[in-house]
Amino acid sequence: MKIVVIGGGWAGCAAAIAAAKQGVDVTLLERTDSLLGTGLVGGIFRNNGRYTATEEMVAMGCGEMFDAMDACTTHTNMEFPGHKHASLYSIATIEPEVQRSLAAAGVDVRYQVRIAEVEMDGTRLRAVKTHENKGGIRFEADAFVETTGTSGVVTVCNKYGNACSMCVLRCHTFGTRVGVAARAGVTEISGRKGDQVGAMSGSCKLLKESLAPHIREELNRKGVVIVPIPGAGNGSDHKVSIKACQQYSQPEYTQSIVLLDTGHAKLMTPYFPQAELRRIPGFENARFEDPYSGGIGNSIRFVGMAPRDDALKVDGIDNLFCGGEKAGLLVGHTEAVVTGVLAGYNAARLTLGQALLVLPDSLAIGDAIRHVREQMQTEKGLGLKFTFSGSVYFERMKERGSYTTDIGAIRRRVEAAGLTDVFAARTELDARRVARAA
Ligand SMILES: Cc1cc2nc3c(=O)[nH]c(=O)nc-3n(C[C@H](O)[C@H](O)[C@H](O)COP(=O)(O)OP(=O)(O)OC[C@H]3O[C@@H](n4cnc5c(N)ncnc54)[C@H](O)[C@@H]3O)c2cc1C
């Protein structure tokens, strides 16, 4: 029994581990030379309702990706505007840590494999392939998980953003994202709000060394620095209104520079004209590290989502599942991990001839998966983004009483749903698979 996961971001890594723990052979294909995709420039986790979702997943027995994040933290239990009990992981050390987790789970990871074509057998996906001019390498499997994200490709960033901003996705080097569901004939969905198709990624990285020593020192010590922007008004700001992460659409982020320490200085705005930035005291030498053209723009995401059900099976294809941003307008590492786990687990269940799991509404994760699918069927919903960490979905968590940081209460909730350790390894099969891999 064989599963192929396409796309090695947080969702794909989580899917691969979840499937491997069920005892099936898993190959993870990543188009670049590194795992984690946009997670290579993120870092914020366990903030607000993400804490609850993280601990639900730990109680359900698939905490490996959160263990990796926790092992690489630069700061824990910190606060910044609108966010409580956040942790930050170091973007410098997280990727090798995740590589080690995948190796420990016996996942076969292949780098620089960009899937560009599919082979169908009616409504079943038989194989995925690289382009002919890249050797036409073919990967057959019983079930597939697509976790290729929703980043625009260069032409999309040019058309709907401010240009290709040379971001960590490195399309010019490794080729652009290719959606497997679309290749299999599925009509994908794009987020849109008015004329804006997709949304712009919401933060940039500055080289810490380019900041004034007192800012650097405070950032290293506290994990957060807030510097008022001289002359900033209260009005809405285009930079903030087109952000993918709507949880930062509040005045503190338009009137101040908010920096977080993720190894680099994470600047909480999609872009910031370099000349304007350098007029702010302490930022006279500021230099962008990601995206390189962070003075101009950032990547466009949330184009190319797959229609799916609540088991995360893609509509119309019998053996294709999806997770992460591909599964809908859910923004964030935590959101990618929890949907990735369910997609990988259900892909394994399908190959094992078992019923697919749908998580109940009594869990924040189950409710989010269902709520986002329903919202994506409405014009209004397509203009929104959902995250456990803020904006409309965090409000919903608070209204439903599902937000808590009480780990005991979260475990009891998972137990009441009969789902304690549901994703934990099937020991016998897993032992056989690890032995085979060795
Ligand atoms: C600048 C920035 C900062 C962010 N900061 C945070 C943060 O601090 N905290 C937070 O929670 N979230 C943050 N996010 C959002 C978060 O990173 C994403 O929502 C989440 O990580 C998405 O994960 P994913 O696996 O769905 O997709 P992606 O991260 O997009 O990963 C998709 C992967 O698939 C690969 N791929 C694509 N096509 C193919 C193909 N055809 N064949 C093989 N491989 C393919 C890509 O190379 C990539 O590695 C940030 C996003 C950005 C862009």
Side-chain angles (χ1 to χ4, degrees):
M1 285 161 293
K2 169 106 192 150
I3 286 177
V4 165
V5 179
I6 307 112
W10 274 118
C13 295
I17 289 199
K21 285 169 71 165
Q22 298 310 301
V24 297
D25 283 335
V26 183
T27 301
L28 172 60
L29 309 175
E30 166 53 40
R31 72 181 233 293
T32 71
D33 57 359
S34 312
L35 297 171
L36 294 190
T38 57
L40 283 169
V41 288
I44 308 169
F45 68 109
R46 286 190 179 274
N47 47 329
N48 293 348
R50 284 179 180 155
Y51 195 99
T52 314
T54 298
E55 291 300 333
E56 279 186 2
M57 187 46 76
V58 170
M60 285 191 280
C62 206
E64 286 82 346
M65 294 294 90
F66 298 117
D67 289 345
M69 293 185 206
D70 283 334
C72 294
T73 49
T74 53
H75 301 271
T76 55
N77 200 19
M78 49 176 298
E79 290 196 17
F80 48 91
H83 296 261
K84 288 202 159 69
H85 48 75
S87 292
L88 303 177
Y89 64 68
S90 159
I91 57 168
T93 58
I94 187 70
E95 199 266 350
E97 185 69 25
V98 172
Q99 280 198 17
R100 287 188 281 274
S101 301
L102 288 165
V107 175
D108 173 19
V109 185
R110 311 277 180 96
Y111 297 93
Q112 290 181 237
V113 175
R114 175 175 171 264
I115 294 307
E117 292 167 19
V118 300
E119 258 178 46
M120 299 297 293
D121 184 2
T123 51
R124 273 185 79 77
L125 185 54
R126 194 182 323 139
V128 292
K129 292 197 294 188
T130 62
H131 197 271
E132 286 304 326
N133 66 15
K134 294 283 175 193
I137 310 164
R138 188 170 174 279
F139 297 87
E140 213 171 299
D142 301 293
F144 297 81
V145 183
E146 178 177 6
T147 44
T148 56
T150 61
S151 58
V153 298
V154 178
T155 47
V156 170
C157 295
N158 280 334
K159 188 166 176 194
Y160 300 113
N162 296 349
C164 165
S165 57
M166 310 284 282
C167 76
V168 74
L169 293 169
R170 299 170 292 164
C171 299
H172 295 284
T173 314
F174 297 107
T176 50
R177 174 183 66 82
V178 177
V180 174
R183 286 288 192 271
V186 173
T187 305
E188 292 182 332
I189 308 165
S190 287
R192 59 166 63 235
K193 198 174 182 184
D195 292 342
Q196 177 68 44
V197 173
M200 193 177 276
S201 298
S203 71
C204 302
K205 296 286 192 287
L206 298 175
L207 268 181
K208 266 191 201 171
E209 295 83 340
S210 70
L211 306 176
H214 70 278
I215 294 183
R216 219 159 56 218
E217 186 279 322
E218 189 178 339
L219 189 60
N220 288 338
R221 185 164 41 84
K222 292 193 192 159
V224 55
V225 173
I226 300 174
V227 181
I229 302 173
N234 290 324
S236 80
D237 179 328
H238 174 251
K239 293 198 285 294
V240 170
S241 62
I242 58 167
K243 272 176 84 122
C245 8
Q246 289 165 351
Q247 66 271 35
Y248 302 109
S249 301
Q250 52 187 82
E252 287 89 336
Y253 294 93
T254 49
Q255 292 164 21
S256 318
I257 294 281
V258 179
L259 294 179
L260 300 177
D261 177 21
T262 57
H264 288 306
K266 183 175 168 86
L267 170 69
M268 299 303 290
T269 175
Y271 65 96
F272 207 108
Q274 186 167 281
E276 275 179 42
L277 184 61
R278 287 183 174 177
R279 281 202 286 273
I280 301 169
F283 293 81
E284 292 83 354
N285 302 323
R287 177 174 158 180
F288 285 93
E289 181 61 18
D290 180 274
Y292 275 124
S293 309
I296 307 291
N298 212 321
S299 55
I300 294 290
R301 306 198 331 274
F302 295 99
V303 289
M305 295 168 286
R308 49 80 179 171
D309 62 20
D310 295 340
L312 298 180
K313 194 188 78 59
V314 173
D315 292 352
I317 311 289
D318 301 345
N319 60 342
L320 178 61
F321 294 80
C322 63
E325 291 184 1
K326 192 78 203 179
L329 295 157
L330 273 161
V331 189
H333 312 327
T334 307
E335 294 74 359
V337 167
V338 299
T339 53
V341 167
L342 184 64
Y345 177 78
N346 274 336
R349 303 261 309 169
L350 184 81
T351 68
L352 296 166
Q354 294 164 348
L356 303 185
L357 175 67
V358 172
L359 296 176
D361 292 359
S362 57
L363 301 185
I365 299 173
D367 178 63
I369 289 173
R370 185 184 57 76
H371 182 67
V372 168
R373 178 185 52 72
E374 288 172 356
Q375 289 293 306
M376 283 174 61
Q377 287 156 6
T378 68
E379 198 57 35
K380 181 170 173 236
L382 278 179
L384 300 172
K385 307 288 170 307
F386 301 85
T387 160
F388 298 114
S389 71
S391 187
V392 286
Y393 192 77
F394 185 43
E395 286 311 311
R396 180 178 166 89
M397 284 180 83
K398 288 190 273 188
E399 278 161 25
R400 298 180 81 244
S402 66
Y403 164 56
T404 174
T405 54
D406 179 342
I407 294 177
I410 296 169
R411 287 192 183 150
R412 285 191 293 280
R413 187 190 292 171
V414 169
E415 194 180 352
L419 292 170
T420 300
D421 282 340
V422 64
F423 298 121
R426 291 159 48 109
T427 325
E428 196 194 321
L429 276 173
D430 195 44
R432 262 194 269 149
R433 186 187 43 72
V434 171
R436 269 202 308 276

